[in-house]
Amino acid sequence: MECESVVEKLRQEYLANPEDFDTAQKLAEHCIDQGWYNEALDVYGKFLDSNGEDFSFLLHYGNLLCKMSKEKKAEAFFRRITQLKPNRVEGWNNLGIIKMKTGDIEEAGRAFEKVLAIESDNVGAILNLGNYYSQKGDLKRAASYFEEAVELCPDFPDAWYNLGNVSLASGDHAKAVTAFNKALHYNRDYPSALKNLGFTYEKSGDYEKAVECYTRASLLNKADWGIQVNLANIHLRFDRLEEAKACFLKAVRLAPKETSGWLGLRHTALLSGDITSYIRSTMAVFSRLSSSVIAASIDILRDLGHDAQAQELLRQADKKEISGDLLDAQRLVMYQKRGGSAGKIASLYKKLSSVKTPQSGTAKCLVEYAYNVGSYERVIRFFEYVDEPSAACHLMLWRALKKTGNGTSAYKLAAEFSKASPESFEPWMFLAEFKAVEGKRSEAEKLLLKALRAGFTDLDCIRRNPDLSRTLRSIEQSAQFVNKKN
């Protein structure tokens, strides 16, 4: 209230004598302190013509424009004062900072070099040159400038912080921990240093200390959504799904336009089996997802048997005209299943099948499409490009091999798969199907029982197969006979 009363008094004095530059400058400075930048700019603007050669006035004007994020206009003022007094460091230093912000780091570097040519021990310029080399990717040289800065000014927390950052980027975690702790020694309430110290501990595998640092940082900077994402990722590492979800929700509330929180919620929902939340969080950032991520989301939903939800994601992608080979591959199999336009399907297949080395996700869909249309030779060919194929994809290969006269190879592959993954339904079902076709009912029943005892069982798939359906009825009848007898 006292500051506001001072400003009001200066306003009255300024209105009474608007030509008084000293009163105008004091008013502008107090307005800046209160964050009333537009009023300060109006006051300064009235004296611009009469003070166009005044070094101090131009410096203050340029600094105000910087606070208002008007970098281009500020640059003109700082250039002017370097011409007025080329041996003063303020203009060169501020010009360098502006050029760093606008992305012209080479000119920024030259400006900071000018500062050091005037004052060789100017710690601010040394720090800024370290930032310059850090942005260029020359971490070793950046570190040398930060080390020089802390040697000249050991209690400079920002220099220690920046040294910690380049040490972390260089993979020197021990040096980074030392530097961040030094920054915190000289400034205990330094949330960025705590956050990055936490990240260093996380990268080093010391998750307990990482959580401690992130928690302290979140109390100092409650608006930093990134801290919540980092905490959530550690909770995920230890399967603490509810804690992870809570942190991701905080991140979303703090920054609803950022994708990280939503993507984290998506992942947590998927791990929890909460498909509704998975869809909701996907749709929240749908327009910012790449076509490959959308394709992967559709693929996950289809693998989990949520075809309606997968169709909804594809409808959204179609509506927004999002394309890409992986997404087009999903379109191919989904259009084919729901009886889409034959022309579109043929066009998609022609495009995707002509790729010399298809991506794994594309190849997986091509296997499925080729199997569904009975093109078994192509199933075998496309399967070669699938990385880590699912059991369902293997099943299509085994059946394709059997259809093309390679039943013995198919049986051998399925038997090997069943040994490596005895909890999988598909290999046992195929082996049972194989024996049922051969007329070996007893062996088929034993194998089908193993399929039924697997973690995931597709009874509809069994009942659609005449040979397996008969085998299933035989098992059910045997079970009923045993129950009656008991």
Side-chain angles (χ1 to χ4, degrees):
M1 292 298 294
E2 184 179 345
C3 289
E4 290 185 23
S5 64
V6 170
V7 172
E8 188 56 40
K9 182 181 178 183
L10 287 169
R11 281 191 187 123
Q12 297 304 321
E13 291 177 8
Y14 171 66
L15 289 171
N17 187 6
E19 302 302 320
D20 184 353
F21 177 69
D22 289 338
T23 300
Q25 191 163 16
K26 287 177 184 177
L27 173 60
E29 288 171 3
H30 277 81
C31 285
I32 291 169
D33 290 340
Q34 293 295 307
W36 301 329
Y37 299 144
N38 287 321
E39 183 176 352
L41 192 66
D42 289 340
V43 174
Y44 273 143
K46 292 174 182 176
F47 292 89
L48 186 56
D49 291 338
S50 58
N51 289 272
E53 302 295 310
D54 185 318
F55 179 91
S56 178
F57 174 79
L58 295 175
L59 180 61
H60 281 90
Y61 205 131
N63 286 336
L64 172 58
L65 290 168
C66 279
K67 289 179 184 291
M68 299 177 74
S69 300
K70 298 177 182 292
E71 284 86 5
K72 287 294 182 185
K73 289 184 178 180
E75 180 185 337
F77 284 87
F78 295 141
R79 284 193 185 282
R80 179 60 185 149
I81 63 177
T82 61
Q83 294 165 0
L84 288 172
K85 293 190 178 181
N87 291 322
R88 290 281 296 270
V89 299
E90 295 95 324
W92 294 112
N93 193 56
N94 287 7
L95 179 61
I97 292 170
I98 285 289
K99 298 311 287 184
M100 287 285 281
K101 284 184 177 179
T102 56
D104 190 350
I105 63 170
E106 293 306 326
E107 188 172 353
R110 289 192 291 271
F112 296 139
E113 292 283 5
K114 283 276 192 182
V115 175
L116 290 182
I118 300 166
E119 288 182 11
S120 60
D121 60 349
N122 187 296
V123 178
I126 293 169
L127 182 73
N128 287 330
L129 268 173
N131 291 331
Y132 160 73
Y133 282 108
S134 180
Q135 282 206 28
K136 280 174 67 73
D138 190 341
L139 301 181
K140 187 174 181 181
R141 198 161 182 186
S144 70
Y145 277 101
F146 296 140
E147 285 165 350
E148 184 180 351
V150 296
E151 187 175 338
L152 285 168
C153 188
D155 60 351
F156 191 3
D158 287 352
W160 285 113
Y161 171 71
N162 287 7
L163 179 59
N165 286 337
V166 295
S167 301
L168 175 59
S170 302
D172 192 341
H173 295 160
K175 189 173 181 179
V177 167
T178 299
F180 289 133
N181 275 318
K182 281 281 190 180
L184 289 164
H185 175 75
Y186 294 112
N187 181 3
R188 289 181 59 81
D189 297 336
Y190 200 154
S192 296
L194 271 169
K195 179 181 177 180
N196 289 7
L197 177 60
F199 187 70
T200 308
Y201 282 132
E202 184 180 345
K203 295 291 283 185
S204 304
D206 194 338
Y207 301 110
E208 187 176 337
K209 285 186 178 178
V211 169
E212 181 186 339
C213 289
Y214 288 147
T215 304
R216 286 173 57 198
S218 69
L219 293 174
L220 290 171
N221 187 357
K222 294 178 180 174
D224 190 338
W225 59 271
I227 297 173
Q228 297 301 326
V229 170
N230 290 358
L231 273 169
N233 286 329
I234 292 180
H235 288 312
L236 280 180
R237 179 176 286 275
F238 295 101
D239 296 323
R240 299 192 290 258
L241 299 183
E242 286 303 316
E243 292 91 332
K245 180 181 177 181
C247 289
F248 282 131
L249 279 170
K250 283 182 184 177
V252 165
R253 292 185 187 116
L254 288 169
K257 292 184 179 180
E258 294 291 339
T259 59
S260 297
W262 288 110
L263 292 177
L265 279 177
R266 250 172 49 103
H267 184 58
T268 307
L270 189 62
L271 292 174
S272 305
D274 184 355
I275 298 302
T276 301
S277 294
Y278 179 78
I279 295 293
R280 188 183 297 125
S281 50
T282 299
M283 296 308 297
V285 288
F286 193 85
S287 61
R288 284 172 279 168
L289 298 177
S290 67
S291 63
S292 58
V293 171
I294 295 169
S297 303
I298 292 171
D299 193 45
I300 287 168
L301 290 169
R302 291 179 60 236
D303 279 348
L304 292 174
H306 295 280
D307 289 349
Q309 290 85 346
Q311 290 282 6
E312 178 56 32
L313 290 191
L314 186 60
R315 274 194 291 271
Q316 291 297 323
D318 288 348
K319 185 178 178 181
K320 295 179 183 295
E321 299 182 343
I322 302 171
S323 61
D325 282 357
L326 290 170
L327 189 53
D328 284 345
Q330 294 294 330
R331 284 189 172 99
L332 174 68
V333 291
M334 292 176 75
Y335 287 177
Q336 188 267 333
K337 278 189 173 182
R338 74 185 190 199
S341 164
K344 282 185 179 179
I345 293 170
S347 176
L348 285 168
Y349 180 73
K350 182 178 180 181
K351 171 195 167 189
L352 296 169
S353 62
S354 65
V355 176
K356 191 173 182 180
T357 308
Q359 296 178 70
S360 176
T362 301
K364 179 185 174 184
C365 289
L366 286 169
V367 165
E368 184 178 351
Y369 175 79
Y371 180 81
N372 288 338
V373 298
S375 184
Y376 301 116
E377 293 287 355
R378 288 178 177 175
V379 169
I380 298 165
R381 177 163 65 87
F382 292 133
F383 184 87
E384 294 178 13
Y385 298 100
V386 182
D387 299 330
E388 300 181 7
S390 63
C393 195
H394 274 285
L395 178 61
M396 285 183 272
L397 172 68
W398 302 328
R399 285 177 168 170
L401 286 167
K402 188 170 182 293
K403 290 284 187 180
T404 55
N406 294 290
T408 303
S409 295
Y411 189 89
K412 183 179 177 182
L413 288 171
E416 289 173 354
F417 194 98
S418 69
K419 289 177 183 177
S421 301
E423 75 289 348
S424 293
F425 162 75
E426 287 83 357
W428 297 117
M429 185 187 71
F430 176 78
L431 294 173
E433 175 187 315
F434 195 95
K435 291 299 181 182
V437 171
E438 288 185 336
K440 297 177 180 178
R441 194 183 80 175
S442 177
E443 290 183 53
E445 287 179 5
K446 289 177 183 178
L447 291 164
L448 188 56
L449 276 171
K450 288 185 177 183
L452 293 169
R453 289 167 182 159
F456 170 78
T457 300
D458 188 347
L459 284 173
D460 288 339
C461 185
I462 294 171
R463 291 189 174 111
R464 284 195 301 268
N465 184 302
D467 296 301
L468 287 178
S469 183
R470 282 193 294 271
T471 305
L472 180 61
R473 284 199 300 273
S474 177
I475 292 171
E476 290 170 342
Q477 288 166 3
S478 297
Q480 287 172 5
F481 174 74
V482 170
N483 288 335
K484 284 179 182 178
K485 190 173 182 181
N486 291 338

